[in-house]
């Protein structure tokens, strides 16, 4: 088995909230991810997915525990850790006044991709993601689908070995969501380590090689879908999920297959 | 600032990105480039043109006056006033009180009342005194008073000449205590003086205005556009990111200041010429060569100061409009010392050099006037830079708080300072990356 590119041990994050006092958003979680794998973090809204991924991206600092990306500790070497990483989320927008090409050049350069290879890399990304038609247009003029393609391209602009997708399909229509899933699979097939968070069961079911069920900041189970089926005796991920978290009434943000939020 | 945490290659990439975006943003281009070049020269030109126009209108109006108790031996004065096209001498026989009432009603512009001379002036036969009653609140009345005074002065000169001739003495002997004015300032110095009254004030305003929009755009604007988290996830250290933003804002502030100085120096001659009359042809609106580096360094010190202060405050806003609201009072506060230091007689002193902004403004004014006290210039710049370092130190302290970085802190800088920097919860701070 290959060495893990992402290693997380006892990772925890406590916030101070003026109304609620100390809030333990992530409560000592462990997991590993390997190259060529899509590792899914499945949980309701507020389960701790985004906090976990932000800690991996060094945007948040863990209260306890260790996380290493390609052997780089996210606390001790945050800049080096970020260099191994491409981070995509619904809250990571693009610069509206740059063109698509300028955007890709900027992210390649700022992430220290070798200067002499930047042009070739941008040309490759433009071709690969099919953005040649509007590569000279400013981002602010692009449609949501076009922006999404540029956004994925900028995430991989510096060819990082690890990619984090935090609820990447939020706000996308069906066609664009399917396109996103196709690209993520392709990147996995190229050997990237992919961490993918979602609260949509069908997405996790179709896309993830391994799934971690996260609830109230804890990982309750982490394995392949088949192994989770065997462990619970349930076939559908939705049922498996409910089995672990103890009932939908505990999950205010839980989304059923139909996409409706549970009470 | 821990320079070892800064990767200058990344700073350059980030800086270029900021600048490229800014040059495509209309409000930034207008505030940092177009206003400094065009607004104040155009504004000054419009103001002075309006003044000249009003002056012209007033000049063209006929002054309606009455002369009361003019001695018969001075009838020539009446003739000269009547001959002037700009004066209408009314022949009404009125009392002084009636005349003043008409002046107040606007039916008359001035009353010239001829009086017997005081005891000290009685020695000269036919001497007289004049009391001019006019309404100072009315331009037309003021103008009538000036015209009477000018006519009386001219007539007195001619009369004195004649009297001196009759007495076989020179006019100087008759008049005594003559005053001769001799302006020893060169035309260039006079021009520099006029420049020094305006340039420092406009430079401070322009540098602050040049920093205003960029400082909000690069902080609150990033949050509003949701690009802040994107930026936090790139492999540049926080210090590199902040340094690039700081240099970007300071660059636009400096550019605004220097563009304004250049535009003012080039255009001020054309702007002031209509007012200066004959003098304008001789005035030279040039600044000493040595003042150029002083102006440049002064504008740079101001840009570094405004960029640091405005970014620090605006970075607490989540939206552009909130950022504007947070900075605007500081913008006006910063202008107070400049207005206070606007007195022409005020020069740089060791005490004044300790007042930020005002010290640089007066330093620039002295330099334009050719006054260079290098020790005080050094002190001014040192004090200004101490304030810059203090603000940057504060910014570094603030950067260590996660909720500030993520934009989840809800409040202004002042609230943050109270709750975090000064309170017990400073233990939440993280090491600076």
């Amino acid at each position: 088995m290959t060495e893990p590119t992402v290693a997380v041990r006892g990772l925890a994050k406590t916030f101070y909230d003026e109304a609620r006092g100390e809030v333990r958003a992530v409560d000592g979680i462990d997991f590993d991810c390997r190259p060529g794998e899509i590792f899914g973090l499945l949980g309701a809204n507020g389960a701790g997915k985004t906090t976990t991924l932000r800690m991996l991206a060094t945007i948040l600092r863990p209260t306890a525990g260790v996380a290493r990306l390609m052997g780089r500790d996210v606390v001790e070497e945050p800049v080096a850790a970020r260099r191994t990483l491409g981070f995509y989320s619904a809250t990571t927008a693009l610069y509206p006044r740059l063109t698509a090409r300028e955007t890709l050049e900027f992210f390649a350069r700022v992430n220290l991709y070798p200067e002499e290879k930047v042009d070739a890399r941008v040309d490759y990304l433009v071709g690969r993601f099919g953005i040649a038609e509007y590569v000279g247009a400013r981002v602010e003029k692009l449609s949501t689908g076009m922006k999404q393609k540029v956004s994925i391209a900028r995430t991989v602009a510096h060819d990082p070995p690890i990619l984090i997708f935090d609820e990447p399909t939020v706000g996308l229509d069906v066609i664009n969501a399917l396109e996103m899933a196709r690209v993520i699979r392709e990147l996995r097939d190229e050997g990237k380590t992919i961490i993918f968070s979602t609260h949509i069961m069908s997405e996790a079911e179709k896309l993830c090689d391994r799934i971690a069920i996260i609830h109230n900041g804890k990982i309750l189970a982490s394995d392949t879908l088949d192994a989770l089926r065997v462990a619970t005796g349930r076939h559908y991920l939705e049922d498996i999920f409910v089995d672990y978290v103890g009932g939908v009434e505990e999950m205010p943000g839980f989304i059923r297959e139909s996409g409706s939020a549970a009470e | 600032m821990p320079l070892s945490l800064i990767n200058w290659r990344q700073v350059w990439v980030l800086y270029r990105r900021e600048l490229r975006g800014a040059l495509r943003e209309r409000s930034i281009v207008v505030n940092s480039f177009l206003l400094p070049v065009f607004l104040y020269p155009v504004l000054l030109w419009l103001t002075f043109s309006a003044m000249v126009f009003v002056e012209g209108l007033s000049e063209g109006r006929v002054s309606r006056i009455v002369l009361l108790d003019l001695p018969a031996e001075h009838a020539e004065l009446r003739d000269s006033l009547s001959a002037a096209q700009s004066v209408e001498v009314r022949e009404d026989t009125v009392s002084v009180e009636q005349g003043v009432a008409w002046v107040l009603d606007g039916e008359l512009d001035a009353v010239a009342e001829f009086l017997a001379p005081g005891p000290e002036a009685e020695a000269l036969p036919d001497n007289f005194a004049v009391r001019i009653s006019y309404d100072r609140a009315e331009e037309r009345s003021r103008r009538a008073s000036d015209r009477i005074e000018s006519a009386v002065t001219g007539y007195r000169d001619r009369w004195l000449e004649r009297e001196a001739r009759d007495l076989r003495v020179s006019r100087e002997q008759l008049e005594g205590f003559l005053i001769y004015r001799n302006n020893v300032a060169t035309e260039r110095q006079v021009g520099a003086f006029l420049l020094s009254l305006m340039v420092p004030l406009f430079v401070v305003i322009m540098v602050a205005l040049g920093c205003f929009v960029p400082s909000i755009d690069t902080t609150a604007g990033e949050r509003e556009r949701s690009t802040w988290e994107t930026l936090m996830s790139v492999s540049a250290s926080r210090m590199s990111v902040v340094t690039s933003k700081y240099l970007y804002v300071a660059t636009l502030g400096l550019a605004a200041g220097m563009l304004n100085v250049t535009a003012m120096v080039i255009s001020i001659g054309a702007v002031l010429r209509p007012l200066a009359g004959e003098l304008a042809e001789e005035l030279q609106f040039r600044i000493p060569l040595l003042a150029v580096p002083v102006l440049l360094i002064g504008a740079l010190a101001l840009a570094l100061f405004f960029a640091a202060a405005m970014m620090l405050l605006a970075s607490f806003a989540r939206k552009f409009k909130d950022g504007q609201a947070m900075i605007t009072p500081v913008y006006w506060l910063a202008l107070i010392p400049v207005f206070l230091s606007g007195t022409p007689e005020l020069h740089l002193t060791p005490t004044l050099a300790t007042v930020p902004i005002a010290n640089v403004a007066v330093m620039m004014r002295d330099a334009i006037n050719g006054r260079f006290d290098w020790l005080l210039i050094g002190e001014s710049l040192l004090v200004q830079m101490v304030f810059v370092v203090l603000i940057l130190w504060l910014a570094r302290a603030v950067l260590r708080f996660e909720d500030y970085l993520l934009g989840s802190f809800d409040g202004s800088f002042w609230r943050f300072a109270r709750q975090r920097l000064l309170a017990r919860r400073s233990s939440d701070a993280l090491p600076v990356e």
Side-chain angles (χ1 to χ4, degrees):
Chain A
M1 188 177 255
T2 52
E3 284 296 304
T5 43
V6 178
V8 174
R9 296 286 175 274
L11 200 64
K13 180 68 186 177
T14 304
F15 289 111
Y16 179 83
D17 184 271
E18 281 183 11
R20 295 180 291 168
E22 285 202 344
V23 178
R24 207 160 170 80
V26 175
D27 196 0
I29 61 172
D30 306 293
F31 65 86
D32 289 331
C33 307
R34 290 184 164 71
E37 176 184 52
I38 300 176
F39 180 79
L41 274 179
L42 178 67
N45 293 338
K49 303 186 296 292
T50 296
T51 303
T52 302
L53 298 183
R54 281 180 169 171
M55 282 192 282
L56 292 183
T58 78
I59 294 168
L60 288 177
R61 187 184 168 91
T63 312
V66 176
R68 290 179 190 280
L69 308 179
M70 304 297 290
R72 307 285 195 179
D73 190 296
V74 296
V75 175
E76 301 298 324
E77 304 167 273
V79 176
R82 282 203 293 275
R83 201 167 297 159
T84 68
L85 184 75
F87 183 74
Y88 179 105
S89 85
T91 53
T92 50
L94 297 170
Y95 289 105
R97 296 176 213 133
L98 297 188
T99 66
R101 172 171 279 280
E102 287 165 352
T103 300
L104 300 182
E105 286 171 350
F106 167 70
F107 281 100
R109 289 198 169 102
V110 83
N111 285 305
L112 299 178
Y113 194 75
E115 180 60 39
E116 67 279 7
K117 295 180 183 171
V118 167
D119 285 344
R121 176 72 181 164
V122 170
D123 288 341
Y124 164 74
L125 293 170
V126 167
R128 169 167 184 182
F129 290 99
I131 51 185
E133 226 174 273
Y134 48 87
V135 74
R138 284 197 205 171
V139 168
E140 63 194 349
K141 307 279 183 198
L142 303 182
S143 68
T144 307
M146 290 169 174
K147 278 183 192 161
Q148 179 200 336
K149 285 181 181 176
V150 177
S151 225
I152 299 170
R154 77 93 192 143
T155 307
V156 299
H158 56 298
D159 200 15
I162 301 165
L163 296 168
I164 291 177
F165 289 92
D166 183 15
E167 308 225 28
T169 56
V170 167
L172 296 182
D173 60 29
V174 177
I175 303 296
N176 284 319
L178 287 173
E179 173 68 11
M180 173 67 81
R182 185 186 66 76
V183 170
I184 290 173
R185 260 190 226 104
E186 279 181 12
L187 291 167
R188 183 263 316 270
D189 295 343
E190 288 169 20
K192 305 285 186 197
T193 303
I194 292 169
I195 305 176
F196 175 86
S197 83
T198 184
H199 59 263
I200 302 171
M201 301 292 149
S202 60
E203 244 178 20
E205 211 165 46
K206 287 176 192 165
L207 208 56
C208 299
D209 299 307
R210 284 191 302 133
I211 298 167
I213 294 174
I214 185 167
H215 185 61
N216 284 340
K218 292 179 192 290
I219 290 185
L220 305 179
S222 174
D223 217 324
T224 62
L225 181 57
D226 287 338
L228 291 173
R229 281 171 177 154
V230 170
T232 58
R234 308 268 186 182
H235 182 75
Y236 296 108
L237 183 55
E238 184 179 300
D239 298 327
I240 294 168
F241 186 86
V242 171
D243 249 24
Y244 276 108
V245 302
V248 288
E249 67 280 0
E250 289 183 25
M251 296 171 289
F254 170 59
I255 305 280
R256 287 179 178 278
E257 291 292 271
S258 62
S260 61
E263 291 300 310
Chain B
M1 185 181 288
L3 292 175
S4 60
L5 296 173
I6 297 173
N7 178 323
W8 291 102
R9 185 185 153 194
Q10 287 174 313
V11 168
W12 175 238
V13 173
L14 290 159
Y15 174 82
R16 277 196 314 169
R17 204 279 307 155
E18 296 278 2
L19 216 51
R20 180 175 276 162
L23 294 176
R24 290 174 182 168
E25 171 61 36
R26 196 172 49 188
S27 60
I28 294 178
V29 172
V30 168
N31 276 290
S32 299
F33 299 103
L34 297 183
L35 283 187
V37 172
F38 295 111
L39 179 72
Y40 284 95
V42 169
L43 210 62
L44 279 177
W45 178 78
L46 283 176
T47 308
F48 289 140
S49 297
M51 285 166 67
V52 170
F53 178 70
V54 171
E55 184 91 358
L57 279 182
S58 169
E59 187 73 38
R61 283 189 179 148
V62 173
S63 299
R64 301 156 301 172
I65 63 171
V66 289
L67 305 176
L68 300 181
D69 305 328
L70 176 68
E73 50 274 22
H74 295 297
E76 185 190 336
L77 176 59
R78 176 187 296 275
D79 297 341
S80 70
L81 275 167
S82 300
Q85 288 186 339
S86 57
V87 177
E88 177 196 343
V89 182
R90 299 228 169 138
E91 299 302 329
D92 308 272
T93 310
V94 294
S95 65
V96 175
E97 291 74 22
Q98 182 65 57
V100 168
W102 285 355
V103 168
L104 288 171
D105 288 346
E107 290 176 31
L108 197 65
D109 296 320
V111 175
E113 181 187 0
F114 291 80
L115 311 167
E120 71 283 2
E122 272 177 346
L124 206 58
D126 303 329
N127 201 359
F128 64 81
V130 183
R131 181 192 293 141
I132 304 170
S133 300
Y134 70 105
D135 181 354
R136 193 172 171 75
E138 288 294 328
E139 172 59 26
R140 188 171 179 174
S141 185
R142 279 203 304 272
R143 172 76 52 185
S145 165
D146 289 346
R147 281 171 173 160
I148 295 171
E149 189 176 337
S150 170
V152 171
T153 306
Y155 174 72
R156 182 179 59 190
D157 286 347
R158 291 193 300 277
W159 185 76
L160 274 173
E161 292 281 353
R162 275 201 309 269
E163 289 295 309
R165 233 182 1 253
D166 293 349
L167 292 169
R168 299 181 189 281
V169 293
S170 70
R171 186 188 152 179
E172 285 76 11
Q173 284 173 305
L174 190 67
E175 200 163 358
F177 301 116
L178 292 179
I179 299 169
Y180 298 102
R181 284 177 188 271
N182 181 26
N183 177 15
V184 295
T186 63
E187 292 78 8
R188 189 170 172 167
Q189 283 171 319
V190 177
F193 172 74
L194 290 173
L195 272 177
S196 76
L197 290 180
M198 282 180 276
V199 169
L201 172 67
F202 287 135
V203 167
V204 175
I205 292 173
M206 277 298 133
V207 170
L209 204 60
C211 291
F212 192 89
V213 176
S215 66
I216 305 169
D217 187 64
T218 198
T219 52
E222 289 261 19
R223 292 206 166 113
E224 190 167 8
R225 291 189 296 265
S226 299
T227 49
W228 183 249
E229 195 164 319
T230 314
L231 196 59
M232 289 295 101
S233 67
V234 300
S235 65
S237 68
R238 306 283 185 257
M239 292 310 292
S240 295
V241 171
V242 172
T243 302
S244 67
K245 286 178 175 293
Y246 178 54
L247 292 178
Y248 148 71
V249 177
T251 301
L252 291 195
L254 178 66
M258 294 321 291
L259 281 173
N260 183 247
V261 172
T262 311
M264 293 278 288
V265 171
I266 291 172
S267 63
I268 199 164
V271 168
L272 289 183
R273 194 148 288 136
L275 275 191
E278 290 173 11
L279 188 64
E281 297 302 322
E282 296 167 6
L283 284 180
Q284 293 177 21
F285 292 103
R286 276 185 284 167
I287 53 176
L289 204 60
L290 210 51
V292 175
V294 175
L295 283 174
L296 189 66
I297 292 171
L300 179 64
L302 288 170
L304 292 174
F305 178 84
F306 282 122
M310 289 183 172
M311 274 180 69
L312 177 64
L313 295 172
S315 64
F316 282 87
R318 292 178 188 173
K319 291 183 176 174
F320 196 92
K321 279 186 178 171
D322 298 340
Q324 278 180 310
M326 286 177 180
I327 289 187
T328 303
V330 178
Y331 174 74
W332 289 113
L333 270 179
L335 295 183
I336 291 174
V338 185
F339 287 118
L340 291 179
S341 63
T343 321
E345 292 78 24
L346 201 64
H347 296 297
L348 203 53
T349 61
T351 311
L352 184 60
T354 60
V355 183
I357 305 174
N359 54 8
V360 177
V362 177
M363 176 189 91
M364 289 195 284
R365 200 176 61 200
D366 280 359
I368 294 171
N369 281 318
R371 191 178 283 112
F372 300 95
D373 187 328
W374 296 109
L375 206 63
L376 290 177
I377 288 175
E379 187 191 337
S380 300
L381 294 173
L382 186 70
V383 167
Q384 192 71 15
M385 292 320 292
V386 165
F387 275 90
V388 170
V389 170
L390 273 175
I391 298 170
L392 291 179
W393 176 82
L394 211 54
R396 182 172 176 265
V398 168
L399 263 177
R400 298 171 67 205
F401 288 86
E402 210 162 56
D403 53 351
Y404 162 80
L405 261 181
L406 280 178
S408 55
F409 179 81
D410 189 14
S412 68
F413 166 75
W414 311 109
R415 187 175 170 208
F416 190 88
R418 272 200 317 275
Q419 289 188 353
R420 302 294 165 79
L421 300 179
L422 303 174
R424 63 190 188 290
R425 293 202 51 236
S426 59
S427 58
D428 294 351
L430 307 170
V432 171
E433 170 211 310

